[in-house]
Amino acid sequence: MTQSPSRTVRTALSVNVNKVALVRNTRHLGIPSVTRAARLCLEAGAQGITVHPRPDERHIRAQDVYELHELMRAWPQAEFNIEGNPSHNLMEFIRKVRPHQATFVPDSEDQFTSDHGWSFPQDAERLQPLIAECRALGVRVSLFMDPVPAQMAAARAVGADRIELYTEPYAAAWGTDREAVELARYRDAAQAALDAGLGVNAGHDLNRDNLPAFVRAVPGLAEVSIGHALIADALELGYAATVRAYQQCIDAGMAGKNS
Ligand SMILES: CC(=O)[C@@H](O)[C@H](O)COP(=O)(O)O
Ligand SMILES: NCC(=O)COP(=O)(O)O
């Protein structure tokens, strides 16, 4: 499913539940429940659920993917986004589950966390057939990318529907004298993606502090996927109040776009 990119979209919140699974995996008790977390977030208004089932199953396990897929049948208006490296275990999940979106991330199997995007032209040849397979299955493809405007046309050329801007460098600059420069970098990268016919997603280390300014600055932001900070907040506030708080951050950013 491809969505025509637009410069004025309402940014959707996709909750990444990796870290619920991380805590669950430290005992053989099945709590905290990943599916219960997802359901409570959807009931509170989250527009999607994201998982990153890494090959070592350090957090999200294959069974979580299938159980979340079943849960989300009751939420037809919400999207399921599965992230991973298509050269590792991601394509098995895409073929079996056919989520709304596959986010290709160039992580190695033992990587501590995601810390970079794809590079073109180096990655084009091996990504093209995998992107084509996803699209033939009706699955939208988003490529995890660094905020480099010159890379966006190549991302479109290999068949991607969207890119996901890797936002850790912005998060690290937030609140410092580098914040404005970083925001301009992401604004320009998003604009280049839109001009290339791509939709724009974003994620990694986004939180309640840095989210409003990012939503305000970045044109056409279709989706933010947020996990680590959101689940940390939920430990204090609960899932429902936390999702509402993040929606308020998005609303504040959207309001700022029009001022
Ligand atoms: C791709 C990305 O930035 C995150 O979605 C990723 O899922 C983080 O993985 P960990 O939760 O394993 O750090
Ligand atoms: N794609 C980003 C994501 O799903 C969550 O990243 P983070 O909020 O856990 O850093």
Side-chain angles (χ1 to χ4, degrees), residues 3 13 25 73 96 100 104 109 115 129 146 190 217 235 241 259:
Q3 182 176 344
L13 172 64
N25 292 353
R73 291 182 191 279
K96 286 183 179 175
H100 298 85
F104 287 10
E109 298 205 14
D115 61 9
D146 299 305
L235 291 175
S259 57

Side-chain angles (χ1 to χ4, degrees), residues 80-100:
F80 193 24
N81 175 39
I82 305 179
E83 300 181 328
N85 189 322
S87 299
H88 299 157
N89 61 339
L90 177 66
M91 293 308 292
E92 177 187 352
F93 292 117
I94 301 306
R95 293 167 187 139
K96 286 183 179 175
V97 170
R98 301 191 186 197
H100 298 85

Side-chain angles (χ1 to χ4, degrees), residues 235-248:
L235 291 175
E236 297 175 20
L237 304 173
Y239 294 118
T242 297
V243 165
R244 289 193 293 269
Y246 276 79
Q247 294 283 22
Q248 288 164 5

Side-chain angles (χ1 to χ4, degrees), residues 16 19 50 83 144 164 203-206 225-229:
N16 183 311
K19 301 300 161 54
T50 290
E83 300 181 328
F144 198 60
E164 175 177 340
H204 205 97
D205 284 346
L206 292 175
S225 44
I226 307 176
H228 194 90

Side-chain angles (χ1 to χ4, degrees), residues 9-15 44-48 202 206-218 220-226 230 242-258:
V9 292
R10 197 217 183 275
T11 305
L13 172 64
S14 185
V15 175
Q47 287 84 21
L206 292 175
N207 59 41
R208 283 185 288 161
D209 293 326
N210 63 34
L211 185 55
F214 189 83
V215 173
R216 186 177 308 119
V218 174
L221 187 58
E223 174 188 288
V224 289
S225 44
I226 307 176
L230 189 150
T242 297
V243 165
R244 289 193 293 269
Y246 276 79
Q247 294 283 22
Q248 288 164 5
C249 292
I250 291 171
D251 292 345
M254 297 296 294
K257 282 180 185 289
N258 307 321

